[in-house]
Amino acid sequence: MTQQGSETVEFGSAGADERRKGRSGLSGVVDWRLAARTGSALVPAGPRTSRYSAEQVVAELAESSVRAEAPVREVSGLLDDRPVPAARIVDRPGWITAAADSMAQLTGTGQVRLDRKLAGKPAGVQAGAMLAFLSTAILGQYDPFTGSDGTLLLVAPNIVAVERALGVSPSDFRLWVCLHEVTHRVQFSSAPWLGDYMRANVEVLGEVADEPLSDMLARLVDEVRDRRRGTTPDDPAARGVVGLLRATQAPPQRAALDRLLMLGTLLEGHADHVMDAVGPAVVPSVEQIRTAFDQRRRRPTNPVQRILRALLGVDAKVAQYVRGKKFVDEVVGAVGMTRFNTVWTDAETLPRTDEIEHPQRWIERVLV
């Protein structure tokens, strides 16, 4: 941590005002209000700096989120006439509260019986602890489920911490991050059906399958046996904790999980493609930033962090960026961005599990 000037604040303290805004109640068997309180209490403080510098960062991030809109639309070719919502610049507790709100919205809010409220408290504490860990790594996030036009969140302390660790141009890095997150906003505003598609698959994933426990255990045993034999498919979604989760799911839930994983891989890969394709005319040090950022992703972490990353799916998320960008790079290179944008037509034009690794299969199914 560095300390500048005589007055220091936790970076992104503007998020405190956001935390006082409306919070969602309970959803399902998770008390999301308790999760938000727990996460905010557990989260470590971000880097410290002078109040003047903190205000400068907040202002620059807000401006960069607006500047990113035009180059993102030019490179992606995705255009619409929907209004551009202002970005929310938050601190770590602000992101935790927003994430808890989003989960409550996504999984459904409303009146909940007292027994379910009581049952939701242990899950709320667990969810809060997970949100606290994740809040130290999130740079930004587009949330399509809150606000009339979605919400773009930028987590100021994390952006500052990473730009310091990488030793890159702060202004370039802040705009580079905004390019990625604004691309997500453009994806959903240009293809508004995506939000309903996500929500529908989450609902299927949350359904309790009516099947014997023995069937689930048999699938789990088969998964472990395949891993020992080395016959697990060469697919990151089939390995690690995500693979074990898939093994416990009944066929409808497994299919919904696969659809969500493929959508996430496409969204993240497309955003990474756009943020790099914008180029040095907009972000002069884009190549240096990408090189430094990728090296940081590959850097080993301590054993405790590795366990947490695996349990929370962080490593699977990183794999999504890599696999998704490779898919988009290859398709755009082969057919151009205009024809690639057919992918946003409807659920049938989204890439399937095998097509992410083999983009030509998607081209032949959708475009030929």
Side-chain angles (χ1 to χ4, degrees):
M1 296 181 185
T2 59
Q3 200 167 354
Q4 302 173 13
S6 58
E7 182 183 20
T8 62
V9 296
E10 181 184 344
F11 234 113
S13 57
D17 292 334
E18 302 293 349
R19 295 197 298 277
R20 287 192 287 269
K21 294 183 179 180
R23 294 180 177 179
S24 300
L26 299 168
S27 175
V29 292
V30 178
D31 185 337
W32 288 109
R33 277 191 294 187
L34 179 59
R37 292 197 303 271
T38 301
S40 297
L42 294 176
V43 66
R48 299 184 70 83
T49 188
S50 69
R51 184 172 298 278
Y52 173 76
S53 294
E55 290 171 351
Q56 279 190 317
V57 172
V58 170
E60 184 170 18
L61 285 173
E63 192 230 345
S64 294
S65 70
V66 175
R67 284 179 58 203
E69 192 81 19
V72 163
R73 291 191 181 277
E74 181 180 354
V75 169
S76 69
L78 297 176
L79 305 173
D80 63 72
D81 57 0
R82 299 182 68 179
V84 178
R88 282 176 54 188
I89 318 301
V90 297
D91 56 8
R92 290 169 177 176
W95 178 84
I96 290 170
T97 297
D101 260 354
S102 179
M103 289 303 300
Q105 293 286 339
L106 180 59
T107 55
T109 57
Q111 298 297 319
V112 182
R113 299 194 316 269
L114 178 60
D115 60 335
R116 291 178 66 81
K117 288 184 179 181
L118 294 175
K121 291 191 179 301
V125 172
Q126 293 171 345
M130 291 189 292
L131 289 174
F133 178 80
L134 292 173
S135 72
T136 64
I138 299 294
L139 301 181
Q141 176 182 333
Y142 176 70
D143 177 6
F145 303 109
T146 58
S148 58
D149 294 295
T151 303
L152 177 63
L153 300 169
L154 297 168
V155 190
N158 296 346
I159 292 173
V160 170
V162 172
E163 71 191 28
R164 290 177 180 176
L166 297 181
V168 295
S169 164
S171 293
D172 282 4
F173 184 73
R174 293 164 195 174
L175 179 56
W176 190 70
V177 171
C178 287
L179 289 167
H180 184 102
E181 303 309 330
V182 167
T183 299
H184 287 319
R185 181 170 68 193
V186 170
Q187 291 163 346
F188 279 86
S189 64
S190 300
W193 60 270
L194 284 172
D196 290 336
Y197 178 79
M198 287 184 66
R199 195 186 301 274
N201 281 289
V202 169
E203 288 177 356
V204 172
L205 198 59
E207 292 174 355
V208 178
D210 185 16
E211 65 168 355
L213 179 61
S214 58
D215 290 354
M216 183 270 285
L217 292 175
R219 288 196 301 271
L220 192 57
V221 169
D222 289 342
E223 172 71 15
V224 173
R225 184 182 297 118
D226 288 344
R227 291 186 180 206
R228 288 177 175 173
R229 293 173 177 172
T231 57
T232 302
D234 186 21
D235 176 359
R239 300 193 298 266
V241 176
V242 175
L244 292 175
L245 174 62
R246 290 178 76 254
T248 66
Q249 302 289 338
Q253 283 71 42
R254 181 182 293 202
L257 179 59
D258 285 344
R259 289 191 292 268
L260 288 170
L261 287 171
M262 288 306 98
L263 176 60
T265 301
L266 171 66
L267 295 177
E268 298 298 353
H270 179 248
D272 258 18
H273 173 90
V274 170
M275 74 194 297
D276 287 351
V278 165
V282 178
V283 184
S285 58
V286 60
E287 292 185 9
Q288 177 193 355
I289 290 174
R290 167 56 72 187
T291 299
F293 197 74
D294 286 347
Q295 288 175 346
R296 182 176 182 271
R297 278 179 176 172
R298 294 191 293 266
R299 193 173 303 153
T301 55
N302 67 54
V304 174
Q305 286 184 323
R306 284 201 295 271
I307 292 171
L308 288 173
R309 286 169 63 91
L311 289 174
L312 299 179
V314 175
D315 291 331
K317 184 75 169 177
V318 172
Q320 282 185 321
Y321 288 90
V322 176
R323 299 170 69 219
K325 186 174 186 297
K326 183 174 182 290
F327 171 83
V328 178
D329 288 347
E330 290 192 21
V331 175
V332 172
V335 304
M337 184 62 81
T338 300
R339 296 191 70 198
F340 167 82
N341 282 340
T342 305
V343 78
W344 309 114
T345 304
D346 55 39
E348 290 304 311
T349 59
L350 293 175
R352 296 171 179 171
T353 303
D354 65 311
E355 293 170 346
I356 284 288
E357 301 297 335
H358 304 281
Q360 186 61 34
R361 294 180 184 176
W362 180 85
I363 293 173
E364 292 171 357
R365 179 177 66 86
V366 176
L367 300 182
V368 175

